[in-house]
Amino acid sequence: MDALSEILNSVKLDGAVFYNVELTAPWGVRSPSSRELATFLRKATKHVIMYHLVTQGQARCEVEDSTHRLDLIPGDIVVFPHGDAHVLSNGCPTCIMDNAKQLKEVFAQGMDLAHYGGGGDATLIVCGYMECDREFSKMFLGGLPPIFKVNIRQDKSGQWLENSIKFSAKEARTNRAGSDAVLTRLSEALFAETMRRYMAELPEEQTGWLAGARDPWVGGALAHIHRAPEQRWTIASLAQEVGMSRSVLAARFRHFMGEPPMTYLSRWRLQLGARKLTSTSHSVARISDEVGYESEAAFNRAFKREFGLPPARFRKSAKSQNSSRGPGGGISKSPDSLKSRPNVGI
């Protein structure tokens, strides 16, 4: 399995398609930051990655308080890897609707086609998000710009994916059994396809995780690390696996990733350990062995350096934070008390 597939499996991305809207020019809508959305969804410990798929018409997207902007056409999917608030628009709207103040209405709408705007040319957009652990997202998404886009209408596989999402969105509007589950899987597939296409289009001089994953040798090393982090890897064994000398692999890995292979491996093991501490009842000794440490003491020392707390206290603190938030879970898609609310934008 390639490095991108390994990381997508290991970070355990969860996706959702949550909104389907027709906007008629002129219109302008502000989408909230990922932290605002995560708080609303009661997923404050998660990093939320928002995206929009344009299926008809055009739009301009601008990241709030920055100079980053993109023009969008049908088939474009625009992604905000760091969760920045942004504005989508077409024409010259007299006001910008702030959806941070109307998230209940947006989610209550479900996949019913919402309508907003001035009555001119129509733009159709399907909106979704992906969520993953915050610390994992830093490793995976580091080096990416605040906003990027790819077009999925360039070949038959992308066209199939777009058509499947549009069809499933219509199915979800009829509340057919299993439609939400289908949309969830399609959302995850769409995100994976977007990252694959974006990685392929990166310029040769690009560095960062995706650029490293694309490199045959660094990508091979990353795939081995993520496939079997518990293995007793050395720079020599990694170099042998990818067919390169130790010195060349070390230099190439540092060029793309900004750190040596063994440093990356150590950080990844600790991230896995932190997740196991908060998601399982396994003992610290068992977790240290599962993530590749030779002893519990070595794991404790490394973990405290990385997170500022020893593993046992980290687990206790995480449980305390989770219990203080009360029962988790998102907002119901169509609570009866919200069904009469007006349609709104993205």
Side-chain angles (χ1 to χ4, degrees), residues 228-259:
E230 76 285 352
Q231 188 165 323
R232 303 297 190 242
W233 292 112
T234 64
I235 184 63
S237 61
L238 276 175
Q240 183 177 10
E241 288 289 345
V242 301
M244 177 176 279
S245 72
R246 289 178 295 175
S247 59
V248 175
L249 176 61
R252 199 169 186 87
F253 198 100
R254 183 186 287 274
H255 166 74
F256 284 105
M257 307 301 295
E259 61 187 352

Side-chain angles (χ1 to χ4, degrees), residues 64-100:
E64 195 167 75
D65 299 324
S66 83
T67 58
H68 293 87
R69 59 177 58 89
L70 293 172
D71 292 322
L72 308 176
I73 61 173
D76 278 346
I77 176 169
V78 58
V79 181
F80 307 86
H82 310 302
D84 294 275
H86 52 277
V87 173
L88 289 165
S89 65
N90 189 13
C92 299
T94 57
C95 64
I96 302 296
M97 178 178 290
D98 186 357
N99 271 355

Side-chain angles (χ1 to χ4, degrees), residues 6-292:
E6 292 287 357
I7 191 70
L8 289 176
N9 284 334
S10 56
V11 300
K12 299 187 183 302
L13 290 163
D14 294 315
V17 177
F18 70 92
Y19 205 56
N20 189 19
V21 62
E22 179 184 68
L23 301 139
T24 54
W27 57 270
V29 179
R30 176 188 181 269
S31 288
S33 69
S34 66
R35 287 189 178 273
E36 294 174 274
L37 185 58
T39 299
F40 173 80
L41 295 171
R42 299 180 186 175
K43 299 178 182 292
T45 61
K46 299 291 187 178
H47 175 65
V48 175
I49 307 164
M50 294 185 66
Y51 66 81
H52 308 301
L53 170 63
V54 179
T55 61
Q56 177 183 314
Q58 58 185 0
R60 166 162 287 196
C61 188
E62 302 179 69
V63 174
E64 195 167 75
D65 299 324
S66 83
T67 58
H68 293 87
R69 59 177 58 89
L70 293 172
D71 292 322
L72 308 176
I73 61 173
D76 278 346
I77 176 169
V78 58
V79 181
F80 307 86
H82 310 302
D84 294 275
H86 52 277
V87 173
L88 289 165
S89 65
N90 189 13
C92 299
T94 57
C95 64
I96 302 296
M97 178 178 290
D98 186 357
N99 271 355
K101 302 175 181 177
Q102 305 187 67
L103 285 174
K104 284 186 178 181
E105 290 88 340
V106 169
F107 277 82
Q109 182 73 35
M111 292 310 295
D112 289 343
L113 186 63
H115 302 273
Y116 172 72
D121 293 339
T123 300
L124 295 177
I125 299 178
V126 177
C127 308
Y129 65 87
M130 304 296 297
E131 62 180 69
C132 64
D133 291 338
R134 287 191 180 279
E135 294 303 319
F136 286 179
S137 72
K138 292 177 183 178
M139 298 183 74
F140 174 43
L141 303 173
L144 291 179
I147 178 177
F148 67 85
K149 69 174 182 177
V150 299
N151 193 285
I152 62 172
R153 287 193 183 177
Q154 297 173 355
D155 53 47
K156 290 183 178 180
S157 63
Q159 293 167 14
W160 175 88
L161 185 55
E162 180 185 356
N163 290 333
S164 297
I165 289 174
K166 291 192 291 186
F167 174 79
S168 297
K170 291 180 180 178
E171 290 284 287
R173 288 155 57 183
T174 65
N175 293 318
R176 291 189 61 180
S179 57
D180 285 346
V182 171
L183 270 176
T184 294
R185 297 297 173 264
L186 286 172
S187 175
E188 294 164 3
L190 178 63
F191 184 79
E193 180 67 11
T194 299
M195 300 306 293
R196 185 185 71 82
R197 289 171 184 257
Y198 181 73
M199 183 172 73
E201 296 171 1
L202 288 173
E204 290 298 321
E205 66 275 11
Q206 184 74 37
T207 59
W209 198 95
L210 286 175
R214 182 182 61 179
D215 181 81
W217 297 279
V218 176
L222 286 169
H224 285 296
I225 287 172
H226 286 279
R227 185 179 304 122
E230 76 285 352
Q231 188 165 323
R232 303 297 190 242
W233 292 112
T234 64
I235 184 63
S237 61
L238 276 175
Q240 183 177 10
E241 288 289 345
V242 301
M244 177 176 279
S245 72
R246 289 178 295 175
S247 59
V248 175
L249 176 61
R252 199 169 186 87
F253 198 100
R254 183 186 287 274
H255 166 74
F256 284 105
M257 307 301 295
E259 61 187 352
M262 294 300 101
T263 302
Y264 179 91
L265 172 61
S266 296
R267 288 201 304 120
W268 181 242
R269 286 172 169 170
L270 292 172
Q271 296 299 335
L272 291 175
R275 181 164 68 188
K276 289 176 179 289
L277 285 166
T278 57
S279 63
T280 74
S281 58
H282 298 169
S283 68
V284 174
R286 176 177 172 179
I287 291 173
S288 66
D289 182 66
E290 289 175 341
V291 300

